[in-house]
Amino acid sequence: MESKKTETTNFIRNIIDEGLKTNKHEGRVHTRFPPEPNGYLHIGHAKSICLNFGIARDYNGLCNLRFDDTNPIKEDPEFVQSIQNDIKWLGFDWEDRLYHASDYFDQMYEYAIQLVKEGKAYVCSLSEKEIREYRGTVKEPGKESLYRNRSIEENLDLLERMKNGEFEDGTHTLRAKIDMAASNMLMRDPLIYRIRRKRHHRTGGKWNIYPMYDFAHCLEDSIERITHSLCSIEFENNRPLYDWFLNALDVYHPQQIEFARLNLNYTVMSKRKLLELVNESFVSGWDDPRLPTICGLKRRGYTPEAIRTFSDRIGLAKRQSLVDMALLEHTIREDLNKSAPRVMAVLRPLKVIIDNYPEDLVEEMDAVNNPEDASAGTRKVPFSKIIYIEKNDFMEDAPKKFYRLTPGREVRLRYAYFIKCEYAVKDDNGDFTELHCTYDPETKGGSAPDGRKVKATLHWVSAKHSIKAEVRLYSHLLSVPDPGLENKDFKECLNPNSMQVLKDCKLEPGLANSKPGERFQFERQGYFCVDSKDSKHESLVFNRTVTLRDEWARLQKKKNI
RNA sequence: UGGGCCGUCGUCAAGUGGUAAGACACAUGGUUUUGGUCCAUGUAUUCGGGGGUUCGAAUCCUCCCGGCCCAACCA
């Protein structure tokens, strides 16, 4: 009997398997996750992190964390820290292999000198504008720089002086001597070093020149003896250059493989757009629960497990795609369904008076903490004459399919009694202010000895025992699935109702001791977690992670359409 | 006639010449003290399109169509 597990398979793993068969990298598998510390990580990075660390794990290999810190004007130690936090939170460990591109600056400089000595690189003194002009266009070849044929001695001298800070920013660059007529624009004498007389967060004032991505990245991979250098598809054009540098220098040569980056509908993923939302205060910060950042998802209540599962389920390929947010929501529901304690919370309270219930009686009802996990046990929930139920669990003129409370109908209060609605009280605006019901003492616990059934079970909270809390309901950041399809700026597509704040929610008393980050299922509503920033013991704030699937809501929606 | 990459269900995605996996979404039934969970069933005669090779094609050839990337001293 074979138990066939659905194993993760994708084109990159196939390539690795092939290489292993031919002993391509001495049987090693060594990957790396190489973020630039210039922003916060988002779910797209999580895909790459899970890929790289996941492959290392599955092939008994290693995965390095490496900061690609070659551009001091964009980078900041704040990001270095946040990135490490997020990766750890996701559940991955680089052990002692935390590296920085800046660790290799000396070595890179030596390699640059080697290129110059071999006539493969030269110092160019064209201005930024001239370099652009000389590069040509996508359809026309470029022309060679006037400085392309300087002597090796002059190049060496100039490079040394660039390094020493003798020249202003932008006055000279070091360039690879390749081919100004190449059809691949990146091969038209790409820049290797540019002058940037700026302090670096790790090397301080030591350097006045910093290496460009194409030169630096392949060497970082080579120095760390990476076997498979996985990057996103937009670097496909860079691969010939990656290979060119490593061949020119005749050093260890990792294999670059490109894959498609993640796009998710109803949200934005680019660093630029996220930065815009943060800077222009459309959201409260990088960890706003509406954002697809790792820290935003964490604050929203997502678990690392769910994000890892999501990364596995979306698969991996080279074609550009737009993954349905519903899949992400599915993975968090799946995880939380197994683990989250159930609890009763009334978000939009409607007072219910049980006329035939004794005035001062309080009963402690037994409630199951998690029907999916018997070991979670039970708890006591106080019940009394005045309770709150959800406003939308009552309708005066109910349609056929509505089987919650309506005048004359009997429903079950979860873990308590059957109650029957006798009449509703309205205020001058026509809004219901309270319901008068009667209960059947024989139905304690929620079942009738005579075997009669009810169609609905409602959650509730005892008025005098309840605690008050603020609850923030989140929905999609954008009101359209793909802002790229709309003919407008993505900010015009922001969902104006992406956050709804309810200030007067009533929770069962046990929740008073809940801790920041703690997750619950509010029965019949969704999964919620205690906000890690704004929640205080005396004024609790909950974030809705995701709603429960809701058949009734679906029916209503269908009718309205 | 710049170059490179990519088109398989509504959305992802396996498949590498032997007759279309799986997941999400959707639909229908069953169980249920959450209109939740769970269970069962249904959903691509067809792989962007046309030709061709072959006993046999999503897989090979060819032409066409569509999408993405490249002209930062960003990564």
Side-chain angles (χ1 to χ4, degrees), chain A residues 124-144:
Chain A
C124 180
S125 307
L126 253 27
S127 70
E128 189 171 345
K129 185 164 174 260
E130 289 168 326
I131 287 182
R132 204 175 359 243
E133 286 164 3
Y134 277 54
R135 190 144 40 214
T137 70
V138 129
K139 296 199 173 181
E140 306 148 24
K143 57 180 180 184
E144 296 184 350

Side-chain angles (χ1 to χ4, degrees), chain A residues 209-226:
Chain A
I209 55 173
Y210 292 94
M212 300 286 292
Y213 169 84
D214 287 301
F215 177 69
H217 204 92
C218 59
L219 288 173
E220 294 156 24
D221 286 341
S222 179
I223 291 166
E224 293 176 18
R225 310 209 46 95
I226 297 303

Side-chain angles (χ1 to χ4, degrees), chain A residues 306-333:
Chain A
I307 294 173
R308 279 188 257 122
T309 302
F310 173 74
S311 295
D312 287 342
R313 301 252 175 101
I314 54 177
L316 189 74
K318 295 190 75 162
R319 66 183 92 142
Q320 40 129 197
S321 60
L322 185 63
V323 173
D324 195 338
M325 182 66 87
L327 181 57
L328 217 211
E329 295 178 342
H330 173 260
T331 60
I332 187 61
R333 283 192 192 107

Side-chain angles (χ1 to χ4, degrees), chain A residues 29-49:
Chain A
V29 172
H30 201 335
T31 56
R32 99 269 95 112
F33 175 64
E36 183 188 16
N38 68 346
Y40 279 74
L41 261 26
H42 54 62
I43 183 115
H45 294 108
K47 172 179 179 178
S48 177
I49 292 166

Side-chain angles (χ1 to χ4, degrees), chain A residues 89-328:
Chain A
W89 179 78
L90 274 176
F92 296 103
D93 185 5
W94 54 87
E95 299 174 313
D96 57 349
R97 296 178 312 284
L98 170 61
Y99 303 120
H100 298 77
S102 52
D103 294 339
Y104 314 131
F105 281 174
D106 285 300
Q107 222 167 328
M108 288 177 189
Y109 185 71
E110 290 307 313
Y111 280 128
I113 288 176
Q114 186 184 329
L115 288 178
V116 171
K117 284 182 175 166
E118 292 174 9
K120 295 170 182 166
Y122 62 97
V123 172
C124 180
S125 307
L126 253 27
S127 70
E128 189 171 345
K129 185 164 174 260
E130 289 168 326
I131 287 182
R132 204 175 359 243
E133 286 164 3
Y134 277 54
R135 190 144 40 214
T137 70
V138 129
K139 296 199 173 181
E140 306 148 24
K143 57 180 180 184
E144 296 184 350
S145 165
L146 305 5
Y147 306 97
R148 201 171 198 258
N149 295 310
R150 290 219 252 231
S151 70
I152 290 175
E153 292 67 32
E154 189 183 2
N155 281 324
L156 253 15
D157 174 63
L158 252 16
L159 178 58
E160 170 82 18
R161 290 164 60 194
M162 282 165 65
K163 183 189 74 148
N164 293 341
E166 290 184 31
F167 306 118
E168 298 280 325
D169 285 15
T171 50
H172 307 279
T173 56
L174 183 71
R175 296 231 252 165
K177 193 186 280 189
I178 306 181
D179 178 7
M180 289 308 292
S183 49
N184 181 345
M185 297 292 290
L186 288 162
M187 300 299 272
R188 320 244 262 227
D189 287 12
L191 272 58
I192 295 175
Y193 273 103
R194 78 287 218 187
I195 300 173
R196 279 236 201 299
R197 299 198 298 186
K198 172 104 168 59
R199 283 187 71 80
H200 185 279
H201 69 101
R202 295 191 75 246
T203 59
K206 179 173 178 185
W207 294 90
N208 297 291
I209 55 173
Y210 292 94
M212 300 286 292
Y213 169 84
D214 287 301
F215 177 69
H217 204 92
C218 59
L219 288 173
E220 294 156 24
D221 286 341
S222 179
I223 291 166
E224 293 176 18
R225 310 209 46 95
I226 297 303
T227 56
H228 304 272
S229 176
L230 314 181
C231 61
S232 47
I233 208 85
E234 65 268 28
F235 288 99
E236 210 147 28
N237 295 322
N238 301 59
R239 178 154 33 93
L241 228 200
Y242 183 101
D243 293 333
W244 188 91
F245 278 122
L246 296 178
N247 288 143
L249 261 6
D250 192 26
V251 292
Y252 173 81
H253 199 144
Q255 179 179 9
Q256 174 177 309
I257 306 169
E258 310 84 15
F259 63 89
R261 63 196 303 163
L262 170 67
N263 294 297
L264 257 186
N265 62 14
Y266 294 105
T267 190
V268 294
M269 207 71 92
S270 87
K271 270 187 191 175
R272 196 207 93 224
K273 289 176 185 170
L274 291 171
L275 189 67
E276 227 172 301
L277 293 177
V278 172
N279 285 162
E280 296 170 29
S281 298
F282 287 97
V283 294
S284 63
W286 286 101
D287 64 350
D288 188 294
R290 289 167 291 184
L291 259 22
T293 49
I294 305 293
C295 52
L297 290 166
K298 176 183 176 185
R299 191 170 166 198
R300 173 89 169 243
Y302 272 79
T303 60
E305 170 70 23
I307 294 173
R308 279 188 257 122
T309 302
F310 173 74
S311 295
D312 287 342
R313 301 252 175 101
I314 54 177
L316 189 74
K318 295 190 75 162
R319 66 183 92 142
Q320 40 129 197
S321 60
L322 185 63
V323 173
D324 195 338
M325 182 66 87
L327 181 57
L328 217 211

Side-chain angles (χ1 to χ4, degrees), chain A residues 350-376:
Chain A
L350 172 61
K351 185 186 283 185
V352 173
I353 298 156
I354 302 165
D355 291 325
N356 62 338
Y357 194 83
E359 199 68 38
D360 296 317
L361 182 60
V362 176
E363 293 183 89
E364 296 286 331
M365 302 303 189
D366 287 308
V368 173
N369 287 332
N370 187 346
E372 304 294 316
D373 176 11
S375 72

Side-chain angles (χ1 to χ4, degrees), chain A residues 334-427:
Chain A
E334 185 179 48
D335 188 13
L336 262 17
N337 177 50
K338 290 178 298 185
S339 62
R342 280 34 6 169
V343 105
M344 291 195 284
V346 175
L347 268 27
R348 298 172 178 89
L350 172 61
K351 185 186 283 185
V352 173
I353 298 156
I354 302 165
D355 291 325
N356 62 338
Y357 194 83
E359 199 68 38
D360 296 317
L361 182 60
V362 176
E363 293 183 89
E364 296 286 331
M365 302 303 189
D366 287 308
V368 173
N369 287 332
N370 187 346
E372 304 294 316
D373 176 11
S375 72
T378 61
R379 68 186 186 285
K380 301 282 188 187
V381 184
F383 181 83
S384 62
K385 186 181 178 76
I386 301 175
I387 60 168
Y388 293 112
I389 65 165
E390 212 66 55
K391 264 188 182 139
N392 62 12
D393 278 340
F394 172 78
M395 249 188 186
E396 191 172 36
D397 300 305
K400 266 200 185 67
K401 293 270 189 173
F402 182 89
Y403 38 83
R404 276 110 97 144
L405 207 54
T406 189
R409 183 187 292 162
E410 190 176 49
V411 299
R412 170 168 41 234
L413 292 177
R414 180 142 230 224
Y415 302 127
Y417 292 100
F418 285 9
I419 58 167
K420 188 167 150 193
C421 180
E422 304 296 344
Y423 63 96
V425 180
K426 279 185 211 179
D427 64 14

Side-chain angles (χ1 to χ4, degrees), chain A residues 434-477:
Chain A
E434 58 184 45
L435 263 33
H436 283 261
C437 298
T438 51
Y439 85 118
D440 176 357
E442 297 298 308
T443 58
K444 184 169 180 182
S447 53
D450 63 7
R452 74 179 190 279
K453 304 286 185 206
V454 288
K455 274 281 228 178
T457 300
L458 310 187
H459 62 278
W460 52 273
V461 140
S462 165
K464 68 179 168 193
H465 302 278
S466 68
I467 57 172
K468 207 172 115 171
E470 173 178 326
V471 175
R472 298 172 182 172
L473 306 179
Y474 300 104
S475 47
H476 296 155
L477 216 212

